[in-house]
Amino acid sequence: AGGKSARVDFTNGADKGALYVREGEIIEAESGDVRGDEAFYKLMTWKEGTFSAGACEQYPARSIELSVMSLLMEAARRNDESAT
């Protein structure tokens, strides 16, 4: 994310989700009625879909405390486990 701030919206068929990135850190994720880390991991299981990024005027309260690298490593671990 390189220190950038944005809202990233994801669409996969009827499913929708969003990531909120503030100053390069993922601070919140939404996927359906799931929020936080679990929503991030859910979004990372999507094999297809579209996304768009844009400015965010107002950010939600931070619920994700892990670093981007930690989130990605855990998402990869979970995806590996579900593939076996």
Side-chain angles (χ1 to χ4, degrees):
K4 305 288 184 189
S5 297
R7 175 184 165 132
V8 183
D9 292 303
F10 296 84
T11 304
N12 180 5
D15 295 327
K16 297 186 183 313
L19 292 180
Y20 295 88
V21 181
R22 188 169 56 205
E23 297 176 3
E25 296 183 19
I26 298 171
I27 63 162
E28 178 63 296
E30 307 169 345
S31 181
D33 56 356
V34 180
R35 302 280 181 271
D37 299 2
E38 293 303 317
F40 177 85
Y41 302 136
K42 183 177 175 184
L43 291 171
M44 293 300 105
T45 66
W46 291 6
K47 304 290 186 222
E48 57 185 44
T50 60
F51 72 93
S52 63
C56 185
E57 298 295 321
Q58 190 169 7
Y59 289 90
R62 182 177 193 142
S63 71
I64 297 177
E65 296 296 331
L66 295 173
S67 69
V68 173
M69 185 59 70
S70 294
L71 287 166
L72 292 172
M73 294 290 288
E74 178 64 11
R77 184 190 70 76
R78 288 178 181 216
N79 285 338
D80 284 348
E81 282 184 356
S82 69
T84 58

Coordinates of all heavy atoms in Angstrom, one line a residue:
A1 N 0.8 -1.2 0.0 CA 0.0 0.0 0.0 C 0.9 1.3 0.0 O 0.4 2.3 -0.3 CB -1.0 0.0 1.2
G2 N 2.1 1.1 0.3 CA 3.1 2.2 0.2 C 2.7 3.5 0.9 O 2.9 4.6 0.4
G3 N 2.1 3.4 2.0 CA 1.7 4.6 2.8 C 0.5 5.4 2.3 O 0.2 6.5 2.7
K4 N -0.2 4.8 1.3 CA -1.4 5.4 0.8 C -2.6 5.1 1.6 O -2.7 4.2 2.4 CB -1.7 4.8 -0.7 CG -0.5 4.9 -1.6 CD -0.3 6.4 -2.0 CE 0.8 6.4 -3.1 NZ 1.2 7.7 -3.4
S5 N -3.7 5.9 1.3 CA -5.0 5.7 2.0 C -6.0 5.6 1.0 O -6.0 6.3 0.0 CB -5.3 6.9 2.9 OG -4.3 7.1 3.9
A6 N -6.9 4.6 1.1 CA -8.0 4.3 0.2 C -9.0 3.4 0.7 O -8.8 2.7 1.7 CB -7.4 3.7 -1.1
R7 N -10.1 3.3 0.0 CA -11.1 2.3 0.2 C -11.1 1.4 -1.0 O -11.1 1.9 -2.1 CB -12.5 2.8 0.4 CG -13.6 1.7 0.5 CD -15.0 2.3 0.6 NE -15.9 1.3 0.3 CZ -17.0 1.1 1.0 NH1 -17.3 1.8 2.1 NH2 -17.8 0.1 0.7
V8 N -10.9 0.1 -0.9 CA -10.9 -0.8 -2.0 C -12.2 -1.7 -1.9 O -12.4 -2.4 -0.9 CB -9.7 -1.7 -1.9 CG1 -9.6 -2.6 -3.2 CG2 -8.4 -0.9 -1.8
D9 N -13.0 -1.6 -2.9 CA -14.3 -2.3 -3.0 C -14.1 -3.5 -3.9 O -13.5 -3.4 -5.0 CB -15.4 -1.4 -3.6 CG -15.7 -0.3 -2.6 OD1 -16.1 -0.6 -1.5 OD2 -15.7 0.9 -3.0
F10 N -14.6 -4.7 -3.4 CA -14.5 -5.9 -4.1 C -15.9 -6.4 -4.5 O -16.9 -6.3 -3.7 CB -13.9 -7.0 -3.2 CG -12.5 -6.7 -2.9 CD1 -12.2 -5.9 -1.8 CD2 -11.4 -7.3 -3.6 CE1 -10.9 -5.6 -1.4 CE2 -10.1 -7.0 -3.2 CZ -9.8 -6.2 -2.2
T11 N -16.1 -7.0 -5.6 CA -17.3 -7.6 -6.1 C -17.0 -9.0 -6.7 O -16.1 -9.1 -7.5 CB -18.1 -6.8 -7.1 OG1 -18.2 -5.5 -6.6 CG2 -19.4 -7.4 -7.5
N12 N -17.8 -10.0 -6.2 CA -17.6 -11.4 -6.8 C -19.0 -11.9 -6.9 O -19.6 -12.4 -6.0 CB -16.8 -12.2 -5.8 CG -16.6 -13.6 -6.3 OD1 -17.0 -14.0 -7.4 ND2 -16.0 -14.5 -5.4
G13 N -19.6 -11.7 -8.1 CA -21.0 -12.1 -8.3 C -21.9 -11.2 -7.4 O -21.8 -10.0 -7.5
A14 N -22.7 -11.8 -6.6 CA -23.6 -11.0 -5.7 C -22.9 -10.6 -4.4 O -23.4 -9.8 -3.6 CB -24.8 -11.9 -5.3
D15 N -21.7 -11.2 -4.2 CA -20.9 -10.9 -2.9 C -20.1 -9.6 -3.1 O -19.6 -9.3 -4.1 CB -19.9 -12.0 -2.6 CG -20.6 -13.3 -2.3 OD1 -21.7 -13.3 -1.7 OD2 -20.1 -14.4 -2.6
K16 N -20.1 -8.9 -2.0 CA -19.4 -7.6 -2.0 C -18.5 -7.5 -0.7 O -18.8 -8.1 0.3 CB -20.3 -6.4 -2.0 CG -21.2 -6.4 -3.3 CD -22.0 -5.1 -3.4 CE -22.9 -5.1 -4.6 NZ -22.3 -5.4 -5.8
G17 N -17.5 -6.7 -0.8 CA -16.6 -6.5 0.3 C -15.8 -5.3 0.2 O -15.8 -4.6 -0.9
A18 N -15.1 -4.9 1.2 CA -14.3 -3.7 1.2 C -13.1 -3.8 2.1 O -13.2 -4.4 3.2 CB -15.1 -2.4 1.5
L19 N -12.0 -3.2 1.8 CA -10.9 -3.0 2.6 C -10.7 -1.5 2.8 O -10.8 -0.7 1.9 CB -9.6 -3.6 2.0 CG -9.5 -5.1 1.9 CD1 -8.1 -5.4 1.2 CD2 -9.6 -5.7 3.2
Y20 N -10.3 -1.1 4.0 CA -10.0 0.3 4.3 C -8.5 0.4 4.6 O -8.1 -0.3 5.6 CB -10.8 0.8 5.5 CG -12.3 0.9 5.2 CD1 -13.1 -0.2 5.4 CD2 -12.9 2.0 4.6 CE1 -14.5 -0.2 5.1 CE2 -14.2 2.1 4.3 CZ -15.0 1.0 4.6 OH -16.4 1.0 4.3
V21 N -7.8 1.1 3.8 CA -6.3 1.3 4.0 C -6.1 2.7 4.4 O -6.4 3.6 3.6 CB -5.6 0.9 2.7 CG1 -4.1 1.0 2.9 CG2 -6.0 -0.5 2.2
R22 N -5.4 2.9 5.5 CA -5.1 4.3 6.0 C -3.6 4.3 6.2 O -3.0 3.5 7.0 CB -5.8 4.6 7.2 CG -5.6 6.1 7.6 CD -6.5 6.6 8.7 NE -6.4 5.7 9.9 CZ -7.3 5.5 10.8 NH1 -8.5 6.1 10.7 NH2 -7.1 4.7 11.8
E23 N -2.9 5.2 5.5 CA -1.5 5.4 5.6 C -0.7 4.0 5.4 O 0.2 3.8 6.2 CB -1.1 6.1 6.8 CG -1.7 7.5 6.9 CD -1.4 8.3 8.2 OE1 -0.7 7.7 9.1 OE2 -1.9 9.4 8.3
G24 N -1.2 3.2 4.5 CA -0.5 2.0 4.2 C -0.9 0.8 5.1 O -0.4 -0.3 4.9
E25 N -1.7 1.0 6.0 CA -2.1 -0.1 6.9 C -3.6 -0.4 6.7 O -4.4 0.5 6.6 CB -1.9 0.3 8.4 CG -0.5 0.5 8.7 CD -0.3 0.9 10.2 OE1 -1.2 0.6 11.0 OE2 0.7 1.4 10.6
I26 N -3.9 -1.7 6.7 CA -5.3 -2.2 6.6 C -5.9 -2.0 7.9 O -5.5 -2.7 8.9 CB -5.4 -3.6 6.0 CG1 -4.8 -3.7 4.6 CG2 -6.8 -4.1 6.0 CD1 -4.6 -5.1 4.1
I27 N -6.9 -1.2 8.1 CA -7.5 -0.9 9.4 C -8.8 -1.6 9.6 O -9.3 -1.8 10.7 CB -7.6 0.6 9.7 CG1 -8.6 1.2 8.7 CG2 -6.2 1.2 9.7 CD1 -9.1 2.6 9.1
E28 N -9.5 -2.0 8.5 CA -10.8 -2.6 8.6 C -11.1 -3.3 7.3 O -10.6 -3.0 6.2 CB -11.9 -1.5 8.8 CG -13.3 -2.0 8.9 CD -13.6 -3.0 10.1 OE1 -13.0 -4.1 10.0 OE2 -14.4 -2.7 10.9
A29 N -11.9 -4.4 7.4 CA -12.4 -5.1 6.2 C -13.9 -5.5 6.5 O -14.3 -5.7 7.6 CB -11.6 -6.4 6.0
E30 N -14.6 -5.6 5.4 CA -16.0 -6.0 5.4 C -16.2 -7.0 4.3 O -15.8 -6.8 3.2 CB -16.9 -4.8 5.2 CG -16.7 -3.6 6.0 CD -17.5 -2.4 5.5 OE1 -18.0 -2.4 4.3 OE2 -17.6 -1.4 6.3
S31 N -17.0 -8.0 4.6 CA -17.4 -9.0 3.6 C -18.8 -9.5 4.1 O -18.8 -10.3 5.0 CB -16.4 -10.1 3.4 OG -16.9 -11.0 2.4
G32 N -19.8 -9.1 3.4 CA -21.2 -9.4 3.9 C -21.4 -8.9 5.3 O -21.1 -7.7 5.5
D33 N -21.7 -9.7 6.2 CA -21.9 -9.3 7.6 C -20.7 -9.6 8.5 O -20.8 -9.4 9.7 CB -23.2 -9.9 8.2 CG -23.2 -11.4 8.2 OD1 -22.3 -12.0 7.6 OD2 -24.2 -11.9 8.7
V34 N -19.6 -10.0 7.9 CA -18.4 -10.3 8.6 C -17.5 -9.0 8.6 O -17.4 -8.4 7.5 CB -17.6 -11.5 8.0 CG1 -16.4 -11.8 8.7 CG2 -18.5 -12.7 7.9
R35 N -16.8 -8.8 9.7 CA -15.9 -7.6 9.8 C -14.6 -8.0 10.3 O -14.4 -9.0 10.9 CB -16.5 -6.5 10.8 CG -17.9 -6.0 10.4 CD -17.8 -5.0 9.3 NE -19.1 -4.4 9.0 CZ -19.9 -4.9 8.0 NH1 -19.6 -6.0 7.4 NH2 -21.0 -4.3 7.7
G36 N -13.6 -7.1 10.2 CA -12.3 -7.3 10.7 C -11.4 -8.3 10.0 O -11.6 -8.6 8.8
D37 N -10.5 -9.0 10.8 CA -9.6 -9.9 10.3 C -10.3 -11.0 9.5 O -9.9 -11.4 8.4 CB -8.8 -10.6 11.4 CG -8.0 -9.7 12.2 OD1 -8.0 -8.5 12.0 OD2 -7.3 -10.2 13.1
E38 N -11.4 -11.6 10.0 CA -12.1 -12.7 9.3 C -12.6 -12.2 8.0 O -12.7 -13.0 7.0 CB -13.2 -13.2 10.2 CG -12.7 -13.9 11.5 CD -11.7 -15.1 11.1 OE1 -11.9 -15.9 10.2 OE2 -10.6 -15.2 11.8
A39 N -13.1 -11.0 7.9 CA -13.6 -10.5 6.6 C -12.4 -10.4 5.6 O -12.5 -10.8 4.4 CB -14.2 -9.1 6.7
F40 N -11.2 -10.0 6.1 CA -10.1 -9.9 5.2 C -9.7 -11.3 4.7 O -9.5 -11.5 3.5 CB -8.8 -9.4 5.9 CG -7.6 -9.4 5.1 CD1 -7.3 -8.3 4.3 CD2 -6.7 -10.4 5.2 CE1 -6.2 -8.3 3.5 CE2 -5.5 -10.4 4.5 CZ -5.3 -9.4 3.6
Y41 N -9.7 -12.3 5.6 CA -9.4 -13.7 5.2 C -10.4 -14.2 4.2 O -10.1 -14.9 3.2 CB -9.3 -14.6 6.4 CG -8.2 -14.1 7.3 CD1 -8.4 -14.1 8.7 CD2 -7.0 -13.7 6.9 CE1 -7.5 -13.7 9.6 CE2 -6.0 -13.2 7.8 CZ -6.3 -13.2 9.1 OH -5.3 -12.8 10.0
K42 N -11.7 -13.9 4.4 CA -12.7 -14.3 3.5 C -12.5 -13.7 2.1 O -12.6 -14.4 1.1 CB -14.1 -13.9 4.0 CG -15.3 -14.3 3.2 CD -16.6 -13.9 3.9 CE -17.8 -14.3 3.0 NZ -19.0 -13.8 3.5
L43 N -12.2 -12.4 2.0 CA -11.9 -11.8 0.7 C -10.8 -12.4 0.0 O -10.8 -12.6 -1.2 CB -11.7 -10.3 0.9 CG -12.9 -9.4 1.3 CD1 -12.4 -8.0 1.7 CD2 -13.9 -9.4 0.3
M44 N -9.8 -12.9 0.8 CA -8.6 -13.5 0.2 C -8.8 -14.9 -0.4 O -8.0 -15.4 -1.1 CB -7.4 -13.5 1.2 CG -6.9 -12.1 1.6 SD -6.3 -11.2 0.2 CE -7.6 -10.0 -0.1
T45 N -10.0 -15.5 -0.1 CA -10.3 -16.8 -0.7 C -11.0 -16.6 -2.0 O -11.1 -17.6 -2.8 CB -11.3 -17.6 0.2 OG1 -12.6 -16.9 0.3 CG2 -10.7 -17.8 1.6
W46 N -11.4 -15.4 -2.4 CA -12.1 -15.3 -3.7 C -11.1 -15.5 -4.8 O -10.0 -15.0 -4.9 CB -12.7 -13.8 -3.8 CG -13.8 -13.6 -2.9 CD1 -14.3 -14.4 -1.9 CD2 -14.6 -12.4 -2.8 NE1 -15.4 -13.8 -1.3 CE2 -15.6 -12.5 -1.8 CE3 -14.6 -11.2 -3.5 CZ2 -16.5 -11.6 -1.5 CZ3 -15.5 -10.2 -3.2 CH2 -16.4 -10.4 -2.2
K47 N -11.5 -16.4 -5.7 CA -10.7 -16.7 -6.9 C -10.9 -15.8 -8.1 O -10.1 -15.8 -9.0 CB -10.9 -18.2 -7.3 CG -10.7 -19.2 -6.2 CD -9.3 -19.3 -5.8 CE -9.1 -20.4 -4.8 NZ -8.2 -20.1 -3.8
E48 N -12.0 -15.1 -8.1 CA -12.3 -14.2 -9.2 C -13.2 -13.0 -8.7 O -13.6 -13.0 -7.5 CB -13.1 -14.9 -10.3 CG -14.4 -15.5 -9.9 CD -15.0 -16.3 -11.0 OE1 -14.3 -17.1 -11.7 OE2 -16.2 -16.2 -11.1
G49 N -13.4 -12.0 -9.5 CA -14.1 -10.9 -9.1 C -13.5 -9.6 -9.6 O -12.5 -9.7 -10.4
T50 N -14.0 -8.5 -9.2 CA -13.4 -7.2 -9.6 C -13.2 -6.4 -8.4 O -13.8 -6.6 -7.3 CB -14.4 -6.4 -10.6 OG1 -15.6 -6.2 -9.9 CG2 -14.6 -7.2 -11.8
F51 N -12.3 -5.4 -8.5 CA -12.1 -4.4 -7.4 C -11.9 -3.0 -8.0 O -11.5 -2.9 -9.1 CB -10.9 -4.9 -6.5 CG -9.6 -4.7 -7.2 CD1 -8.9 -3.5 -7.0 CD2 -9.0 -5.7 -7.9 CE1 -7.6 -3.4 -7.5 CE2 -7.8 -5.5 -8.5 CZ -7.1 -4.4 -8.3
S52 N -12.2 -2.1 -7.2 CA -11.9 -0.7 -7.5 C -11.4 0.0 -6.3 O -11.9 -0.3 -5.1 CB -13.1 0.0 -8.1 OG -14.1 0.1 -7.1
A53 N -10.5 0.9 -6.4 CA -9.9 1.7 -5.3 C -10.2 3.2 -5.5 O -10.2 3.7 -6.6 CB -8.4 1.4 -5.2
G54 N -10.5 3.8 -4.4 CA -10.7 5.3 -4.5 C -10.5 5.9 -3.1 O -10.2 5.2 -2.1
A55 N -10.6 7.2 -3.1 CA -10.4 8.0 -1.9 C -11.5 7.6 -0.9 O -12.6 7.2 -1.3 CB -10.5 9.5 -2.2
C56 N -11.2 7.7 0.3 CA -12.2 7.5 1.4 C -12.3 8.7 2.2 O -11.3 9.2 2.7 CB -11.7 6.3 2.3 SG -12.9 5.8 3.5
E57 N -13.5 9.2 2.3 CA -13.7 10.5 3.1 C -13.7 10.3 4.6 O -13.2 11.1 5.4 CB -15.0 11.1 2.7 CG -15.1 11.5 1.2 CD -14.1 12.6 0.9 OE1 -14.0 13.6 1.7 OE2 -13.5 12.6 -0.2
Q58 N -14.3 9.1 5.0 CA -14.4 8.8 6.5 C -14.1 7.4 6.7 O -14.8 6.5 6.1 CB -15.8 9.2 7.0 CG -15.9 9.2 8.4 CD -17.3 9.8 8.9 OE1 -18.1 10.1 8.1 NE2 -17.4 10.0 10.2
Y59 N -13.2 7.1 7.6 CA -12.8 5.7 7.9 C -13.5 5.2 9.1 O -13.8 5.9 10.0 CB -11.3 5.7 8.1 CG -10.5 5.9 6.9 CD1 -10.1 7.1 6.5 CD2 -10.1 4.8 6.1 CE1 -9.3 7.4 5.4 CE2 -9.4 5.0 4.9 CZ -9.0 6.3 4.6 OH -8.3 6.5 3.4
P60 N -13.9 3.9 9.0 CA -14.5 3.2 10.2 C -13.4 3.1 11.3 O -12.2 3.3 11.1 CB -14.9 1.9 9.7 CG -14.0 1.6 8.6 CD -13.6 2.9 7.9
A61 N -13.9 2.8 12.5 CA -13.0 2.5 13.6 C -12.1 1.4 13.2 O -12.5 0.4 12.6 CB -13.7 2.2 14.9
R62 N -10.8 1.4 13.7 CA -9.9 0.4 13.4 C -10.2 -0.9 14.2 O -10.4 -0.8 15.4 CB -8.5 0.8 13.7 CG -7.4 -0.2 13.4 CD -6.0 0.3 13.7 NE -5.1 -0.6 13.1 CZ -4.0 -0.2 12.5 NH1 -3.6 1.0 12.5 NH2 -3.2 -1.2 11.9
S63 N -10.3 -2.0 13.5 CA -10.5 -3.3 14.1 C -9.4 -4.3 13.8 O -9.3 -5.3 14.5 CB -11.9 -3.9 13.8 OG -11.9 -4.3 12.4
I64 N -8.6 -4.0 12.8 CA -7.5 -4.9 12.4 C -6.2 -4.3 12.9 O -5.8 -3.1 12.6 CB -7.5 -5.0 10.9 CG1 -8.8 -5.7 10.4 CG2 -6.2 -5.9 10.5 CD1 -8.8 -5.9 8.9
E65 N -5.5 -5.0 13.8 CA -4.3 -4.5 14.4 C -3.0 -5.2 13.7 O -1.9 -4.7 13.9 CB -4.3 -4.8 15.9 CG -5.3 -4.0 16.6 CD -5.2 -2.5 16.5 OE1 -4.0 -2.0 16.4 OE2 -6.2 -1.8 16.6
L66 N -3.2 -6.3 13.0 CA -2.1 -7.0 12.4 C -1.5 -6.2 11.2 O -2.2 -5.4 10.6 CB -2.5 -8.3 11.9 CG -3.0 -9.3 12.9 CD1 -3.5 -10.6 12.2 CD2 -1.8 -9.7 13.8
S67 N -0.2 -6.4 11.0 CA 0.4 -5.7 9.9 C -0.1 -6.3 8.6 O -0.6 -7.5 8.6 CB 1.9 -5.9 9.9 OG 2.3 -7.2 9.7
V68 N 0.1 -5.6 7.5 CA -0.3 -6.2 6.1 C 0.4 -7.5 5.9 O -0.2 -8.5 5.5 CB 0.0 -5.2 5.0 CG1 -0.2 -5.8 3.7 CG2 -0.8 -3.9 5.2
M69 N 1.7 -7.6 6.2 CA 2.4 -8.9 6.0 C 1.9 -10.0 6.8 O 1.7 -11.1 6.4 CB 3.9 -8.7 6.3 CG 4.7 -9.9 6.0 SD 4.7 -10.4 4.3 CE 5.6 -9.1 3.5
S70 N 1.5 -9.7 8.1 CA 0.9 -10.7 9.0 C -0.4 -11.2 8.4 O -0.7 -12.4 8.4 CB 0.8 -10.2 10.4 OG 2.0 -10.0 11.0
L71 N -1.2 -10.3 7.9 CA -2.5 -10.6 7.4 C -2.3 -11.5 6.1 O -3.0 -12.5 6.0 CB -3.3 -9.4 7.0 CG -3.9 -8.6 8.1 CD1 -4.3 -7.2 7.6 CD2 -5.1 -9.3 8.8
L72 N -1.4 -11.2 5.3 CA -1.2 -11.9 4.1 C -0.6 -13.3 4.4 O -1.0 -14.3 3.7 CB -0.3 -11.2 3.1 CG -0.8 -9.9 2.5 CD1 0.2 -9.2 1.7 CD2 -2.0 -10.2 1.6
M73 N 0.3 -13.4 5.3 CA 0.8 -14.7 5.7 C -0.3 -15.6 6.3 O -0.3 -16.8 5.9 CB 2.0 -14.5 6.7 CG 3.2 -13.8 6.2 SD 4.1 -14.8 5.0 CE 4.8 -16.0 6.1
E74 N -1.1 -15.1 7.1 CA -2.2 -15.9 7.7 C -3.2 -16.3 6.6 O -3.7 -17.4 6.6 CB -2.9 -15.1 8.8 CG -4.1 -15.9 9.5 CD -3.7 -17.2 10.2 OE1 -2.5 -17.5 10.4 OE2 -4.7 -17.9 10.5
A75 N -3.5 -15.4 5.7 CA -4.4 -15.7 4.6 C -3.9 -16.9 3.8 O -4.6 -17.8 3.4 CB -4.7 -14.5 3.8
A76 N -2.6 -16.8 3.5 CA -1.9 -17.8 2.7 C -1.9 -19.2 3.4 O -2.2 -20.2 2.8 CB -0.5 -17.4 2.4
R77 N -1.7 -19.1 4.7 CA -1.7 -20.4 5.5 C -3.1 -21.0 5.5 O -3.2 -22.2 5.3 CB -1.3 -20.0 7.0 CG -1.2 -21.3 7.9 CD -1.0 -20.9 9.3 NE -2.3 -20.3 9.9 CZ -3.4 -21.0 10.2 NH1 -3.4 -22.3 10.0 NH2 -4.4 -20.4 10.8
R78 N -4.1 -20.2 5.7 CA -5.5 -20.7 5.7 C -5.9 -21.2 4.3 O -6.5 -22.3 4.2 CB -6.5 -19.6 6.1 CG -6.4 -19.2 7.5 CD -7.4 -18.0 7.8 NE -7.3 -17.7 9.2 CZ -8.4 -17.3 9.9 NH1 -9.6 -17.2 9.4 NH2 -8.2 -16.9 11.2
N79 N -5.5 -20.6 3.3 CA -5.8 -21.1 1.9 C -5.1 -22.4 1.7 O -5.6 -23.3 1.0 CB -5.4 -20.0 0.9 CG -6.4 -18.9 0.8 OD1 -7.6 -19.0 1.2 ND2 -6.0 -17.8 0.3
D80 N -3.8 -22.5 2.1 CA -3.1 -23.8 2.0 C -3.8 -24.9 2.7 O -3.9 -26.0 2.2 CB -1.7 -23.6 2.5 CG -0.7 -22.9 1.5 OD1 -1.1 -22.7 0.4 OD2 0.4 -22.5 2.0
E81 N -4.2 -24.6 3.9 CA -4.9 -25.7 4.7 C -6.2 -26.1 4.1 O -6.6 -27.3 4.1 CB -5.2 -25.2 6.1 CG -3.9 -25.2 7.0 CD -4.2 -24.8 8.5 OE1 -5.4 -24.4 8.8 OE2 -3.3 -24.8 9.3
S82 N -6.9 -25.1 3.5 CA -8.2 -25.5 2.9 C -8.1 -26.3 1.6 O -9.0 -26.9 1.2 CB -9.1 -24.3 2.7 OG -8.6 -23.4 1.7
A83 N -6.9 -26.1 1.0 CA -6.6 -26.8 -0.3 C -6.3 -28.3 -0.1 O -6.3 -29.1 -1.0 CB -5.5 -26.1 -1.1
T84 N -5.9 -28.7 1.1 CA -5.5 -30.0 1.4 C -6.6 -30.9 2.0 O -7.6 -30.5 2.4 CB -4.3 -30.1 2.3 OG1 -4.6 -29.4 3.6 CG2 -3.1 -29.5 1.7

